[in-house]
Amino acid sequence: LPIVVKAFEMEIIPANRIVAQIGETLILTCNSTGCASPSFSWRTQMDNPLGGTVNNYRTYSTLTMNPVSIVNSHHYVCTVFCGEKEKKEKNIKVELYSFPSDPIIEISPSLVAGERVTVICKIPDVYPSHHLEVLLKKEEHVVHEKNFYEDDSTNTETKTVTYSFNPTAEDIGKEITCVAKLPIANMDFEPKERVTSQKLNANFGPQNTIITASPGNLPMEGDTLKLTCVTESNPPPQIVWRKHLAEESIQHLIENNVLSIPHARFTDSGLYICEVINLVTNKTEKATVDIVIQDGPKHTMISVIPATAVKEGETVTMKCTSSGNPAPVISWKKKAATGESEKIFKDATLTIQNIKSQDVGLYECEAYNQFGKEEKAVKLLVQVPPQNITVLVYPSENVKEGENVTITCSTYSNPPSQMVLKKVHQEKEIILPSVNGTFILYNVTKNDTGRYLLDVFNEVGNNIQVIDIAVVGRLEKSNQMIPLIIAFSCVTAIAVPVVAILIYVSRKAKINGSYSLVKALRLKV
C-alpha cells in the first residue's frame, strides 16, 4: 500500500475569537500536524507586548495570561514553521470584559422619618463601562435609571449611581433594589445582569434587651452555662459582657452576644451584665442576670478554739464551715459509747461552757442541702486534775514493829496521774517516785514512824494526801537483812492499772536490830 503523508496544518484553540473576564486566567493553544519538528512564534497584530507567558512543546505551543488584564485586548497571531520553507499562521481575537460582583447599596444617612435619604448604588470593577445600564427601584417601581453610554474608561472602574428622596412613614420596611446590566452584543458571558436589594430600615434601639440563661439561672456545678443577650437594635449593636465581682469591681469578659461557660463552678456564681451599644443612635442599654451555681456540701471543716484538749471548767467553741449552694444546713451530733450518734445542736457554732469530763467524746458536724451531705468529726478531750482521791492504809496507821504496812490510793484524772510518796524527815525530804499506786512497807521499825506525803499529779494539777504512821513495840532480831518492798499501783478512771514493784534492800541493822526507812532510802535515792 502507498504511504499516506499527512499535509502540514495548524490550528488555534479556541478558534478565531475568545471572550475573557479581566482578572481570570486565559490559555491560548497553537497546534501543528504533519510536521516532525515544528517551531512556534507568538505576536500581536499591532506588535504590542504579548502580556503573557509562552511555553513550547513538541507539536504545540501555549500562551498563558494569568491574570488577564486590559493589555491583553488584541488580535494574537501564532506562526508555525516547518523546516526552512513552510510556514503557516492564524490569529485569534481576545475580547475582554469585567462584571465580577453584585452592586453594593448604601443608604445615607440611615432612615429617620422627615430627613432626606440618599441611596448610593456602587457597581464594582466594570469594563467596558460604556455598555453599563443601572436601575434603582423602590419595591417594583423604578425610581431612577442611568446609563454610561458616553463613558470612555479604558480600564475597570467602580461606577456609582445616586438617588435622593424624602422618605415617608410608609417607606419604612420597603425594599430598595439596584439592577446593573452589561448588555454587550455578540459577547457570550454570564451573568449580564446583577441585582442587590436592601430594606429601608429606621435606626432604633437598643431596646427590650434581655438575657436568656440555659439551662437556667440555677445550674448545677459541672453544667455548661450559656448566656445569650437578646435585643432590638438597628443597626446591629456592639455587645459587651461583664461580671460584678465581690469587691464591687467589674470584670470584662467578652464582646459577643453569647457568653458560654463550660463546666460551671461555684465561683462562676454572680451578677452578669450585658451592655448593648448602638453606635449610630448613640444609645446604650443594659440587662442583668443573677447566676447561682448549685452544688452539694463541699470543703466541710471544723475549727476548735482554744484546742481539742482543754481543762475542766473552760469554754470550748467548735465552728463548722461548709461550701455549697443552697447554703448547707449545719447540725452537730455527739457519738455515744454505744456507737450511736445523738443530735445535740443545730447551728454552725457549738459552744460548751464550763466543760466537764462527761463532755468528752467524738463530735460530728453534718452539712446538708438538697443535693447531698458531708460529715466531719473531731475528738474533744477534757483534762482533769487528780480528784476523788481515796487513800487506804492497811492494817492501820498504828502498827507494831515487824508488821507490813500497805498504802493504796485510787483517783480519777485525765491524762492519767503519776504519784510519788515522800517521807518528811528533820534533816531532808526523801522522795520515792513511782508509776503505780500501792506501797508495801515490809517489817517496819520505829524509825519508819513519821509523816508521809502522797503527791498525786498530772499536767493540769496535783493533790497531796497526808499519812501519819506510828510504829510501836520492838522486834529483837540482830544482824539480819530486812527487805523493804515498795510497790505502787495507780488506779484511775481512764488508765488500766499497771503494777510495778520496786524492791529496796536495807543495810544491816546496827542497833538492836532496828530498821531505818530513811537511811535505807538514802542508799537508793
Side-chain angles (χ1 to χ4, degrees), residues 13-78:
I13 301 172
N16 304 324
R17 178 173 173 268
I18 179 69
V19 176
Q21 177 151 255
I22 292 170
E24 295 181 349
T25 299
L26 175 62
I27 300 175
L28 304 180
T29 303
C30 186
N31 273 329
S32 75
T33 56
C35 182
S37 299
S39 59
F40 299 91
S41 172
W42 289 90
R43 62 183 174 83
T44 65
Q45 263 188 351
M46 304 302 293
D47 290 326
N48 297 99
L50 281 177
T53 303
V54 175
N55 288 293
N56 292 322
Y57 304 91
R58 194 173 70 80
T59 60
Y60 68 96
S61 176
T62 60
L63 173 61
T64 302
M65 291 156 262
N66 183 22
V68 175
S69 69
I70 200 70
V71 302
N72 300 120
S73 183
H74 296 299
H75 282 82
Y76 284 86
V77 180
C78 176

Side-chain angles (χ1 to χ4, degrees), residues 52 80 181 209 261 353 382 477:
V80 185
K181 301 177 183 178
T209 303
I261 303 174
Q353 295 179 330
V382 177
K477 288 184 180 179

